[in-house]
C-alpha cells in the first residue's frame, strides 16, 4: 500500500493517507515523500468531497469512520487490485500466482525485462535490487503482477488474483494457506480454478506439472492454451544446462530452478528467447527475504527466507539442505501468521523441518495476544512438528543466544519468517 502511495506521488498525483500504525521502512519512506500522516488513527475530517478516489487496504475495517464518511460522500473506493486492474486495463497483463515461489518468479521476470531494456509496469511483494519501489505505474505496454490469493479489502472479499484478468499467467503450485479466510483445502484450491476462468480470451496459462492438485484444476478448467513446466537442469557444478550450454547462476535451491523455468516461459511469450533469458538471469541474486544470504564465513552461511506456510517451510528447508549436501543445518522458524499460530492448523507442519539436523520454533507471545489467540503449548508444538531435535523459544534474546551456541558453530543456519523474530539481530557470522 505505501509503495502504491509513493508511486502515485512520484508520477504527479496529490496523495494523502491514514493508518493507525505505520512501521519501518514505510514510515521513513512516506515521511521523505512528504505524505506521512501528521497523526496516526482514523479521522473522518480527513475525507473531503475533493477526493477523486480512495484505495482501501486490509488494515482498515468495514466500519472505519473514514470509510463511512467516504461512502456518504459517494467517493469511489477501490481495493488495490481493483485499482491496479483499472490502471492496467489496456496493457498486456502478466500475473504470477500460486501458494509459493511467486515473489521470486516475478522478480526473475522483472530482472530479465530490465536487463533487456524493455518498458514495463509491475507490482511485486518484496524489495528488489535496482528497483526503487515495489510498484511502477506508467504508460508501458506490459505489466507484471505478483498475484496474491488473499482477500482484496474488508469490503471486497474476493482474492486479489480474481481482479487482474491476465493474458499470461503462471500458477506455481497449490498448498493450503490462509485458513482464517479459506477454512478447507478444497475451498482454497477452488480460488485457483476461479482465477483460471477469469483469464482473458486467448490467454496463455503456465502451470507446475508435478502438482497433481493443480493439474486436476487445469484439466477441470478446460483452458485451451495451458503449458506445463517442471525445472531447469543443473550439472555437478550447479550451473544450469540449457540447449547444450552451461550458465552459472547466483541463487540456490532446486525450487528456484522451477521458478526460473516458469520465468523463462513467461519471458518467451514476451519475446525473449531461452538463451537471452539465461544470459540475463546469471546475476540475479533473489528478492529480499527469499533465500537471502545474511552472512557467511568459512564455517557456515546464514540465509533468511519468507517461508511461513507448511509447504513453503518444507520446500525451503529441503532445498537448502540438499543444495549444501553433507553440511549440517539448523532450521529456525517463526510462527507469525494467523494460520501458523492456530492450533487447528499447526499439525499441517508435521515433518516440514525434518531435513534439518536441528530445528527451532519461535513465537512471540505478544503476537498471540494481539491476534486474540490462545496460548501455545511447547509439548503440542513438538508433537505437531515431529522433529526429534526440536526446541521451542518465546524470547528472542534467548533464541539468539541458542543459535549462537558453539553447538551450532559448524551448522548452516536457515531463518524462516514472515515477521522479524521480534527484531532479533540475524547476523551470526
Amino acid at each position: 500500500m505505501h509503495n502504491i502511495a509513493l508511486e502515485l506521488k512520484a508520477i504527479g498525483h496529490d496523495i494523502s493517507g491514514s493508518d493507525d500504525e505505520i512501521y519501518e521502512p514505510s514510515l521513513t519512506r512516506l515521511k521523505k515523500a512528504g505524505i506521512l500522516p501528521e497523526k496516526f488513527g482514523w479521522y473522518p475530517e480527513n475525507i473531503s468531497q475533493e477526493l477523486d478516489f480512495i484505495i482501501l487496504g486490509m488494515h482498515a475495517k468495514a466500519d472505519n469512520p473514514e470509510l463511512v464518511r467516504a461512502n456518504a460522500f459517494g467517493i469511489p473506493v477501490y481495493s488495490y487490485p481493483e485499482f491496479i486492474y483499472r490502471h492496467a486495463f489496456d496493457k498486456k497483463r502478466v500475473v504470477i500466482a500460486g501458494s509459493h515461489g511467486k515473489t521470486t518468479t516475478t522478480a526473475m521476470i522483472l530482472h530479465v525485462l530490465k536487463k533487456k531494456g524493455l518498458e514495463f509496469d509491475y507490482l511485486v511483494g518484496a524489495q528488489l535490487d535496482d528497483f526503487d519501489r515495489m510498484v511502477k505505474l506508467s504508460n508501458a505496454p506490459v505489466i507484471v503482477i505478483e498475484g496474491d490469493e488473499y482477500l482484496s479489502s474488508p469490503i471486497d472479499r474476493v482474492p486479489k488474483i480474481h481482479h487482474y484478468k491476465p493474458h499470461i499467467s503462471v500458477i506455481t503450485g497449490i498448498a493450503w494457506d490462509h485458513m482464517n479466510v479459506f477454512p478447507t483445502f478444497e475451498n482454497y484450491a477452488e480460488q485457483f480454478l476461479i482465477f483460471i476462468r477469469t483469464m482473458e480470451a486467448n490467454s496463455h496459462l503456465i502451470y507446475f506439472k508435478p502438482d497433481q492438485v493443480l493439474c486436476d484444476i487445469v484439466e477441470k478448467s478446460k483452458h485451451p492454451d495451458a503449458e506445463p513446466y517442471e525445472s531447469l537442469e543443473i550439472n555437478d557444478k550447479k550451473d544450469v544446462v540449457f540447449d547444450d550450454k552451461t550458465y552459472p547462476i547466483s541463487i540456490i535451491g532446486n525450487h528456484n530452478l522451477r521458478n526460473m523455468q516458469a520465468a523463462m516461459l513467461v519471458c518467451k511469450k514476451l519475446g525473449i528467447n531461452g538463451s537471452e533469458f539465461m544470459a540475463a538471469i546469471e546475476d540475479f541474486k533473489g528478492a529480499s527475504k527469499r533465500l537471502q544470504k545474511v552472512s557467511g564465513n568459512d564455517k557456515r552461511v546464514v540465509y533468511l527466507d519468507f517461508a511461513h506456510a507448511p509447504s513453503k517451510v518444507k520446500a525451503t528447508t529441503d532445498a537448502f539442505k540438499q543444495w549444501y549436501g553433507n553440511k549440517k543445518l539448523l532450521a529456525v522458524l517463526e510462527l507469525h501468521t494467523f494460520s501458523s499460530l492456530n492450533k487447528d492448523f499447526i499439525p499441517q507442519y508435521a515433518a516440514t523441518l525434518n531435513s534439518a539436523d536441528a530445528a527451532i520454533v519461535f513465537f512471540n507471545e505478544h503476537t498471540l495476544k494481539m491476534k486474540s489467540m490462545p496460548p501455545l503449548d511447547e509439548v503440542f508444538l513438538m508433537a505437531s512438528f515431529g522433529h526429534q531435535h526440536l526446541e521451542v523459544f518465546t524470547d528472542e534474546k534467548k533464541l539468539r543466544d541458542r543459535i549462537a551456541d558453539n553447538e551450532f558453530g559448524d551448522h548452516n543456519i536457515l531463518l524462516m519468517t514472515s515477521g522479524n523474530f521480534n527484531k532479533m539481530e540475524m547476523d551470526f557470522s
Side-chain angles (χ1 to χ4, degrees):
M1 285 291 288
H2 95 278
N3 277 276
I4 291 175
L6 292 172
E7 178 66 8
L8 289 172
K9 173 73 172 179
I11 60 179
H13 297 286
D14 293 327
I15 304 297
S16 60
S18 305
D19 208 338
D20 58 355
E21 294 180 287
I22 302 179
Y23 301 103
E24 295 292 0
S26 306
L27 190 145
T28 296
R29 299 179 79 198
L30 290 170
K31 185 176 182 179
K32 185 177 180 180
I35 53 176
L36 184 71
E38 292 184 4
K39 54 182 179 179
F40 297 166
W42 316 110
Y43 305 97
E45 58 268 25
N46 288 337
I47 307 302
S48 74
Q49 291 178 306
E50 296 177 354
L51 294 173
D52 293 300
F53 61 88
I54 290 170
I55 302 176
L56 176 65
M58 280 301 296
H59 197 185
K61 305 302 181 185
D63 62 353
N64 183 281
E66 295 186 16
L67 182 57
V68 171
R69 186 176 176 93
N71 289 333
F73 283 157
I75 300 169
V77 177
Y78 307 119
S79 61
Y80 90 66
E82 282 184 294
F83 170 74
I84 293 297
Y85 175 72
R86 290 173 67 89
H87 164 76
F89 183 79
D90 293 323
K91 300 177 186 292
K92 178 175 285 188
R93 296 180 297 279
V94 179
V95 178
I96 312 305
S99 303
H100 38 70
K102 52 186 176 285
T103 299
T104 299
T105 304
T106 306
M108 288 175 174
I109 295 167
L110 302 185
H111 180 86
V112 172
L113 295 183
K114 186 171 185 177
K115 290 195 74 172
K116 298 300 293 183
L118 300 182
E119 292 296 320
F120 59 95
D121 286 358
Y122 61 85
L123 185 154
V124 64
Q127 190 62 50
L128 308 179
D129 289 345
D130 300 323
F131 287 83
D132 293 334
R133 284 180 283 278
M134 294 157 64
V135 179
K136 182 184 177 185
L137 307 173
S138 72
N139 294 321
V142 174
I143 185 168
V144 183
I145 301 169
E146 178 184 340
D148 181 9
E149 70 273 18
Y150 198 71
L151 300 184
S152 299
S153 84
I155 61 173
D156 181 14
R157 297 184 66 80
V158 301
K160 298 180 181 73
I161 54 175
H162 293 180
H163 282 289
Y164 298 131
K165 300 178 175 60
H167 302 91
I168 302 170
S169 183
V170 172
I171 303 180
T172 61
I174 298 176
W176 190 25
D177 200 359
H178 311 306
M179 74 167 295
N180 55 320
V181 175
F182 309 111
T184 66
F185 174 73
E186 291 74 20
N187 178 230
Y188 176 80
E190 183 184 14
Q191 307 312 310
F192 293 94
L193 175 61
I194 296 170
F195 168 63
I196 295 172
R197 289 174 173 168
T198 67
M199 294 178 67
E200 292 282 9
N202 302 314
S203 59
H204 185 68
L205 172 63
I206 300 164
Y207 67 98
F208 185 53
K209 184 178 179 181
D211 187 323
Q212 189 57 53
V213 171
L214 176 54
C215 288
D216 292 344
I217 286 174
V218 172
E219 182 177 355
K220 187 175 181 180
S221 75
K222 295 181 168 54
H223 193 281
D225 187 10
E227 179 180 11
Y229 74 94
E230 296 193 38
S231 177
L232 291 175
E233 297 181 0
I234 57 173
N235 59 19
D236 293 341
K237 297 180 179 179
K238 294 188 170 62
D239 295 330
V240 170
V241 180
F242 177 77
D243 274 356
D244 297 324
K245 295 182 181 179
T246 59
Y247 298 88
I249 54 175
S250 302
I251 56 172
I252 69 171
N254 291 339
H255 61 310
N256 276 328
L257 297 173
R258 298 192 288 268
N259 296 334
M260 193 177 290
Q261 175 74 80
M264 176 187 287
L265 294 175
V266 170
C267 288
K268 181 180 178 182
K269 297 297 290 185
L270 296 176
I272 299 170
N273 66 38
S275 59
E276 291 174 320
F277 175 89
M278 287 310 311
I281 202 69
E282 286 184 7
D283 59 349
F284 174 77
K285 294 181 173 62
S288 176
K289 290 185 67 174
R290 271 68 177 183
L291 269 183
Q292 174 188 3
K293 188 174 182 179
V294 176
S295 61
N297 54 38
D298 293 340
K299 294 184 178 180
R300 67 180 179 196
V301 293
V302 181
Y303 275 75
L304 175 65
D305 194 84
F306 191 71
H308 54 90
S311 63
K312 300 173 185 177
V313 171
K314 178 172 173 53
T316 301
T317 305
D318 291 352
F320 191 83
K321 176 64 177 178
Q322 184 177 13
W323 199 261
Y324 283 99
N326 295 326
K327 184 72 174 179
K328 290 182 179 179
L329 170 62
L330 168 63
V332 185
L333 171 66
E334 178 179 15
L335 304 180
H336 183 72
T337 65
F338 179 91
S339 294
S340 69
L341 292 166
N342 189 302
K343 287 185 176 180
D344 293 331
F345 187 80
I346 286 173
Q348 298 287 324
Y349 286 95
T352 56
L353 298 173
N354 280 8
S355 59
D357 300 277
I360 295 175
V361 168
F362 169 83
F363 66 93
N364 186 346
E365 292 175 323
H366 176 70
T367 302
L368 283 173
K369 293 177 182 177
M370 291 292 291
K371 296 180 184 290
S372 300
M373 302 181 75
L376 289 176
D377 178 71
E378 179 177 341
V379 174
F380 168 73
L381 287 173
M382 294 177 72
S384 296
F385 277 85
H387 192 289
Q388 60 179 339
H389 300 301
L390 184 72
E391 300 177 58
V392 178
F393 286 85
T394 59
D395 182 294
E396 70 277 4
K397 293 180 181 178
K398 292 181 180 178
L399 171 64
R400 177 169 171 79
D401 288 344
R402 180 59 176 141
I403 296 172
D405 193 288
N406 286 337
E407 180 180 345
F408 302 123
D410 61 346
H411 287 55
N412 285 336
I413 299 173
L414 173 61
L415 306 168
M416 293 174 285
T417 179
S418 61
N420 59 17
F421 293 99
N422 205 25
K423 300 181 180 180
M424 179 186 74
E425 171 59 47
M426 300 186 195
D427 187 342
F428 292 93
S429 58

